[in-house]
Amino acid sequence: MKVRFIDYLDSLKNTSYDKTNNAYMVNNIHQVINFDQFQEAYFSQYKKPVTCSIDALKQHNREWFFIEFKNGKIDNKTKKNISEKVGHSLFSFLDVLNEKIDYCRKKVNFIFVYNKENNSQSGHRLSCDDYQLSIERQKLKSLLLGVKKYIPLFQMGRYEDVYFKNVYTYDQEQFEKFVNENFDD
């Protein structure tokens, strides 16, 4: 059995569902590949238990966008889990396309969508790690000449140029705006 992406079409809304809190992170109906379901089918063809995977995959204008939704607080455990999801997802993705990792550096992007309310830093003293990747530091860095204008939060930038062409971190509102401006289904 050969698994195909097209067999796992779904909406962004459904792929953003948080079972723990019984809530959707976005209400957008743009069509994507439900990568969790794809990953289950991919591993079942080898009669193996499924590994963790990124939530959604979208192809647009000859590029791919992996999309991961996190409704809870982003802590070190969550970051480690995302790292595992990236690795497992890329292996199956590249296997189906019969490509190498260099393909991802040229054609694949990663979008991390987080709950702004659950990750607000206002009124709290920032830890060293939080400060390094905080919105406040991002604003300061954007004023410096020659510095990249957008710096992904939560240490997600470490995947850029290694696994992905671009990495973005958006809260739900920013993500909805990105989708509406960039994905024309």
Side-chain angles (χ1 to χ4, degrees), residues 118-176:
N118 291 338
N119 292 283
S120 174
Q121 297 162 334
S122 61
H124 298 86
R125 184 180 164 100
L126 297 176
S127 72
C128 181
D129 182 50
D130 290 335
Y131 174 72
Q132 286 248 313
L133 297 142
S134 69
I135 293 168
E136 291 81 3
R137 185 155 192 227
Q138 192 174 116
K139 288 176 186 174
L140 288 172
K141 282 187 123 179
S142 70
L143 299 174
L144 301 172
L145 292 176
V147 173
K148 185 177 175 179
K149 296 296 181 204
Y150 180 81
I151 302 163
L153 300 174
F154 310 111
Q155 298 177 333
M156 296 298 143
R158 63 184 163 180
Y159 303 120
E160 195 169 84
D161 300 325
V162 177
Y163 299 124
F164 300 108
K165 179 179 178 181
N166 296 299
V167 173
Y168 306 97
T169 51
Y170 296 130
D171 64 36
Q172 295 120 298
E173 189 176 303
Q174 293 168 324
F175 177 67
E176 292 271 10

Side-chain angles (χ1 to χ4, degrees), residues 15-178:
T15 60
S16 78
Y17 183 68
D18 173 12
K19 294 175 198 154
T20 305
N21 296 305
N22 192 29
Y24 295 94
M25 285 191 65
V26 296
N27 287 313
N28 200 299
I29 59 168
H30 273 82
Q31 194 173 61
V32 294
I33 297 157
N34 185 322
F35 208 76
D36 284 332
Q37 290 178 356
F38 164 82
Q39 193 81 326
E40 285 179 32
Y42 179 85
F43 275 83
S44 72
Q45 72 183 343
Y46 298 105
K47 297 177 180 31
K48 300 290 182 187
V50 69
T51 61
C52 55
S53 64
I54 295 173
D55 297 316
L57 177 65
K58 172 78 174 168
Q59 186 177 28
H60 181 70
N61 288 342
R62 298 187 180 142
E63 289 197 8
W64 296 90
F65 294 82
F66 273 106
I67 305 162
E68 175 66 14
F69 297 96
K70 280 294 172 207
N71 199 22
K73 178 84 174 132
I74 311 304
D75 56 16
N76 286 333
K77 183 179 177 183
T78 303
K79 291 176 199 173
K80 184 177 181 195
N81 178 257
I82 292 164
S83 184
E84 290 174 11
K85 287 182 174 199
V86 166
H88 292 294
S89 297
L90 287 179
F91 282 132
S92 58
F93 171 77
L94 290 170
D95 186 39
V96 168
L97 294 182
N98 197 26
E99 290 286 351
K100 295 186 171 146
I101 195 68
D102 193 48
Y103 176 84
C104 292
R105 292 184 199 116
K106 295 175 185 171
K107 297 283 185 184
V108 182
N109 303 282
F110 179 62
I111 301 173
F112 181 73
V113 184
Y114 65 96
N115 183 317
K116 186 177 182 177
E117 291 176 19
N118 291 338
N119 292 283
S120 174
Q121 297 162 334
S122 61
H124 298 86
R125 184 180 164 100
L126 297 176
S127 72
C128 181
D129 182 50
D130 290 335
Y131 174 72
Q132 286 248 313
L133 297 142
S134 69
I135 293 168
E136 291 81 3
R137 185 155 192 227
Q138 192 174 116
K139 288 176 186 174
L140 288 172
K141 282 187 123 179
S142 70
L143 299 174
L144 301 172
L145 292 176
V147 173
K148 185 177 175 179
K149 296 296 181 204
Y150 180 81
I151 302 163
L153 300 174
F154 310 111
Q155 298 177 333
M156 296 298 143
R158 63 184 163 180
Y159 303 120
E160 195 169 84
D161 300 325
V162 177
Y163 299 124
F164 300 108
K165 179 179 178 181
N166 296 299
V167 173
Y168 306 97
T169 51
Y170 296 130
D171 64 36
Q172 295 120 298
E173 189 176 303
Q174 293 168 324
F175 177 67
E176 292 271 10
K177 182 178 178 191
F178 173 86

